[in-house]
Amino acid sequence: MLIVMFSGIDALLTLMLVERGAYEANPMMAPLVGGSAVAFTLVKIGLTAGGVVLLTQLARMRPSAASPWACCCTRCWGFTGR
């Protein structure tokens, strides 16, 4: 829960800095900053919460059951190390 709270704080600080001339460095979140502050915050918190739930579920699996998920995620996101 603490991670999700920090994500909300990060969203608010990001919005404050953008108002003062900074820019969002994350290309996936940058289009949302120019729109609704509420939408930006909800998307940011939602993505963080989803990641926490996914990683928590994967951590509770046996290593043999989690391996296909780990392989799928690393290949989809390009973290193969090659």
Side-chain angles (χ1 to χ4, degrees):
M1 201 63 178
L2 190 61
I3 293 172
V4 176
M5 184 182 76
F6 284 143
S7 177
I9 292 169
D10 178 49
L12 295 174
L13 291 173
T14 298
L15 291 169
M16 289 172 50
L17 289 169
V18 166
E19 285 179 1
R20 290 176 172 79
Y23 66 94
E24 173 64 51
N26 182 343
M28 293 181 70
M29 295 299 288
L32 294 172
V33 173
S36 168
V38 173
F40 172 76
T41 304
L42 290 176
V43 168
K44 186 165 185 62
I45 291 172
L47 289 172
T48 301
V52 168
V53 169
L54 176 67
L55 291 174
T56 302
Q57 294 301 316
L58 288 174
R60 291 180 180 174
M61 289 183 177
R62 293 184 323 261
S64 61
S67 295
W69 282 98
C71 290
C72 177
C73 291
T74 55
R75 294 211 182 268
C76 289
W77 288 321
F79 298 129
T80 58
R82 294 181 197 171

